[in-house]
Structures are given as C-alpha cells and as structure tokens.
Amino acid sequence: MIISHNLSAINAHRIYQKNTRSLNNTLERLSTGLRISKAADDAAGLSISEKMRAQIKGLRQASRNAQDGISLIQTAEGGLNEINSSLIRIRELSIQAANDTLTSSDKIEIQKEIDQLTDEIDRIAHTTKFNQKTILNGSTSAHWSSDDLNTQAMIQGELVSVSSLGQINSVEGNYNINITSEETGEAEVLKSNIFEVAEIEQVTKTREVTELVEVTKTREVTGVKVEWDKVFEGYSLNASIRQTTDGGYVLLKDSGELLYQDYGIIRMDSDGTAFQGIILGGSLDEEARSIQQTTDGGFIVAGNSNSNDGIVSGNHGGYDYWIVKLNSDGTLDWEKSLGGSGDDRVSSIQQTTDGGYIVAGYSNSNDGDVSGNHGSVD
C-alpha cells in the first residue's frame, strides 16, 4: 500500500500562519500604540493598565475642574476689584466733601457721583456671572462638609412671608439637617457660596410727611397678633421710638443724604399713621440719638452735631452734644450745643422731676464746656 503525503507543504503552511498571526499582532500594536490591546496579549497587564487609565482620566478631569474653579475666582476677583475701586473713589469723595471751601452746589455734584458709583456697585453685584451663575449677589446655594465633630450650624431668616393678598407662606421656618460620617478621605472640607456681597441700599432723603412711604401689614405669626406695622423709607442709621401721652408715637431717626444727615422726627397717631415730619440740623452732620416727650407736651431731642449754621449754633469744634427742645406743635423752642474742641457724643437724655434735663454720653475734649478729662474718651 502506498500513502501519498506532502509534509513539507503542510509544514510551510503552518509556519506561514504563525508568521501571519505575529504580523497581525505587530500591526495592531503599531496602529493602536499599545503593547497590550486585549486580554490575550497579557491579562494581568491589561488589568493594571486599565486601572491606571481610569486614574489618569480622573486626574485630568479633576485638573479641568480646578481650572474652572480658578476661572470662577478670577471672574469674581475682577468684579470685586471694580467694586473696591468704586468704594475707594466714594471714600475719596467723602473726604473731599468735608472741605469747607466747597459750595453747596459742589457738594451736590459730589453726591451725584457717589450715587452713580453706588448704582454701579449694585450693577456689578447683580451682573457678574460665571456659566450663567451670578456669583456676587449671595444667591448661590451652599453645601458644607467638615471633619470637625464640634461643627455648629446657624440658620437665619424669616419664619413666614406674607403675600399682597395677606396669605401666609412658610419661608425658612423648618429645617432638616442631615449629619453623615464619611470614611473616605481625611480632613476634607467642601464649601461653596463663599462670595457673598450684601446689597447696598439706595439712600434717600425724606423732608416732608408727604414723602413718607407707609406699608401696612396685618398678619398672624405663630399665635402672635400684629396689630399694624409701618415702614418709612429713608436713611436711618439710628432710631428711637417713644409713646406719647395722647397714645400716639414719636420716632427719632437719622434722615439725610449719604454724606450728611439731619435729625429726622416722625409723629404718628395710635394706629401708626404719620401726621408730621420734622427735619432739624445744619449743613454738616447731625446724628439723632434720644428723644422724650416733656411734661408740657413738647419733646426734648439729643444727639451729635458738627454744624454751626442752619438752626445749630455754638459749636465748639468737632462733634458736640446738640440738644433741641420742641413745642407740642413741633416748632423749635430752643437749641443748645455742649462740648469742647474734641468729639462729644450723646447717648441718652431724660427730663428730671424739677423740669430740667439730664444728658449722658462721652467726650474726649478738655476745654469749652468740658473739664477734667482723664485721657481718651470719658
């Protein structure tokens, strides 16, 4: 029996297939640039490389996140730099306005520029955005995490709001604070909403009762009945209120422009309706501090003044106690400046049982009406 074969051809074909597979692997590596492109190349090596690839992609994304954070900070910094420049200019104008060589029209022009700068600060705070998010008006929500077990949360805000129709809506009355412990990471603190700028209120001057804007609200808040409340627009750094003998009220407040204030007095009847507004002062600053109705039905008013014109007289230099006595109809009875060449500032005034008055405050003067100063303010 004869068996035909071609072993040399079969062996050549086997070697050809082996070389073809090797060539394909080489071409695959060349095309992908990877030494290990599939598990068949190196299963353990592929597992290690995939883990490293995931870490590298995560680090690259973290780097992009950091760049976005830097861009946000740079945007916020640009807005804050502009606000800072405006505030520096406002301070410069305020110092300039203290120059007694300026006329009233000069000071009015200074006030106009200050008003424009204030409007620009408001505009910057409300229009500075990053990726459509306003970052300087304090509206961005905040999420905090901390590694400190003694962390305290303090939440402020109104319990309810009242609509124009008198409907009471819950605003910030209920909170649910969740505390969780994370095992991953140590001393990690994540914060947002770090750029908060309080809105700068437009300061207006109220001269007559007809300019007073009243807002009346009656609402039930957690079982407490509010009979009435009033809001009087206008500058009010300090305020004091007293009930009068007729059941009404008298409100003492600062009232004036941004540079200079006067005493502002608002008289109201028992339901809060304003029926008289009184402005007292000179060309410079008057700071209202204390008011009391006197036994003759008038009012004694005390505060500080550095004016020496208008209805203010006898200023000794700097701020003096400025005492004003009004008649029952709100007209001026008499006024008096007390103090020395330094700053003398009132805290309170009261009528005494003999019909006189006692006034308290502090002073760093040692001349004029003041003697025996022990140093600094007494």
Side-chain angles (χ1 to χ4, degrees), residues 29-262:
R29 291 175 182 176
L30 288 173
S31 63
T32 61
L34 301 174
R35 185 181 71 84
I36 305 172
S37 60
K38 56 183 180 295
D41 297 333
D42 184 352
L46 180 64
S47 175
I48 296 173
S49 66
E50 288 299 315
K51 184 182 295 183
M52 292 183 64
R53 183 180 291 113
Q55 291 176 347
I56 291 171
K57 287 185 176 180
L59 290 173
R60 286 176 178 170
Q61 184 59 52
S63 177
R64 289 193 292 270
N65 292 347
Q67 290 298 325
D68 288 341
I70 292 172
S71 298
L72 183 145
I73 292 173
Q74 289 174 339
T75 303
E77 182 183 23
L80 292 174
N81 284 338
E82 293 300 319
I83 291 175
N84 182 61
S85 298
S86 298
L87 291 174
I88 291 175
R89 178 57 179 164
I90 290 176
R91 183 178 186 276
E92 180 183 0
L93 291 171
S94 299
I95 296 174
Q96 179 185 357
N99 188 344
D100 291 336
T101 62
L102 298 180
T103 62
S104 298
S105 60
D106 293 333
K107 294 181 179 180
I108 291 174
E109 296 303 317
I110 290 175
Q111 182 61 46
K112 289 180 180 179
E113 183 175 352
I114 289 178
D115 292 340
Q116 292 174 352
L117 289 169
T118 303
D119 292 339
E120 178 64 11
I121 290 174
D122 287 338
R123 187 194 66 79
I124 293 173
H126 288 86
T127 60
T128 303
K129 297 182 178 181
F130 184 83
N131 194 24
Q132 302 302 316
K133 294 182 179 180
T134 306
I135 57 179
L136 293 181
N137 69 344
S139 61
T140 306
S141 61
H143 302 279
W144 295 74
S145 66
S146 173
D147 64 321
D148 187 358
L149 295 178
N150 295 321
T151 299
Q152 297 180 351
M154 300 180 65
I155 305 173
Q156 297 179 343
E158 294 182 355
L159 296 178
V160 296
S161 67
V162 181
S163 68
S164 58
L165 300 177
Q167 297 174 330
I168 300 176
N169 301 313
S170 176
V171 181
E172 301 178 24
N174 299 310
Y175 298 92
N176 184 17
I177 302 177
N178 296 320
I179 302 176
T180 59
S181 177
E182 299 292 342
E183 295 180 356
T184 58
E186 294 182 0
E188 294 181 353
V189 178
L190 171 66
K191 299 179 182 180
S192 65
N193 194 33
I194 59 176
F195 305 106
E196 294 189 4
V197 176
E199 294 187 8
I200 299 176
E201 296 181 355
Q202 179 66 30
V203 177
T204 58
K205 194 164 189 176
T206 302
R207 282 292 174 184
E208 299 177 1
V209 174
T210 55
E211 294 181 1
L212 298 176
V213 179
E214 301 182 9
V215 180
T216 304
K217 301 175 184 177
T218 302
R219 58 181 181 267
E220 187 79 21
V221 182
T222 61
V224 178
K225 179 68 175 179
V226 179
E227 293 183 2
W228 56 264
D229 56 31
K230 300 288 182 179
V231 176
F232 297 104
E233 292 184 351
Y235 187 54
S236 182
L237 179 62
N238 303 285
S240 175
I241 191 168
R242 299 274 188 171
Q243 188 170 28
T244 54
T245 54
D246 59 1
Y249 304 92
V250 59
L251 173 67
L252 175 68
K253 59 193 286 291
D254 289 341
S255 177
E257 304 294 346
L258 184 61
L259 291 178
Y260 302 113
Q261 292 82 240
D262 293 331

Side-chain angles (χ1 to χ4, degrees), residues 182-359:
E182 299 292 342
E183 295 180 356
T184 58
E186 294 182 0
E188 294 181 353
V189 178
L190 171 66
K191 299 179 182 180
S192 65
N193 194 33
I194 59 176
F195 305 106
E196 294 189 4
V197 176
E199 294 187 8
I200 299 176
E201 296 181 355
Q202 179 66 30
V203 177
T204 58
K205 194 164 189 176
T206 302
R207 282 292 174 184
E208 299 177 1
V209 174
T210 55
E211 294 181 1
L212 298 176
V213 179
E214 301 182 9
V215 180
T216 304
K217 301 175 184 177
T218 302
R219 58 181 181 267
E220 187 79 21
V221 182
T222 61
V224 178
K225 179 68 175 179
V226 179
E227 293 183 2
W228 56 264
D229 56 31
K230 300 288 182 179
V231 176
F232 297 104
E233 292 184 351
Y235 187 54
S236 182
L237 179 62
N238 303 285
S240 175
I241 191 168
R242 299 274 188 171
Q243 188 170 28
T244 54
T245 54
D246 59 1
Y249 304 92
V250 59
L251 173 67
L252 175 68
K253 59 193 286 291
D254 289 341
S255 177
E257 304 294 346
L258 184 61
L259 291 178
Y260 302 113
Q261 292 82 240
D262 293 331
Y263 290 2
I265 301 171
I266 300 174
R267 297 183 66 185
M268 299 170 282
D269 56 24
S270 58
D271 64 359
T273 302
F275 63 86
Q276 185 178 32
I278 306 169
I279 302 296
L280 305 171
S283 61
L284 296 179
D285 275 337
E286 280 72 46
E287 302 172 345
R289 289 295 183 270
S290 181
I291 189 170
Q292 185 188 37
Q293 188 172 25
T294 54
T295 54
D296 61 358
F299 299 93
I300 189 71
V301 187
N304 316 308
S305 173
N306 63 355
S307 301
N308 201 21
D309 54 10
I311 65 170
V312 186
S313 63
N315 182 274
H316 299 76
Y319 281 93
D320 283 356
Y321 289 15
W322 187 44
I323 316 300
V324 178
K325 174 62 173 65
L326 300 178
N327 296 314
S328 58
D329 59 358
T331 59
L332 179 66
D333 187 1
W334 53 262
E335 56 85 25
K336 178 73 173 178
S337 293
L338 300 172
S341 59
D343 276 344
D344 313 283
R345 296 180 183 262
V346 166
S347 297
S348 178
I349 191 169
Q350 297 288 327
Q351 188 173 30
T352 55
T353 55
D354 60 359
Y357 306 95
I358 182 169
V359 60

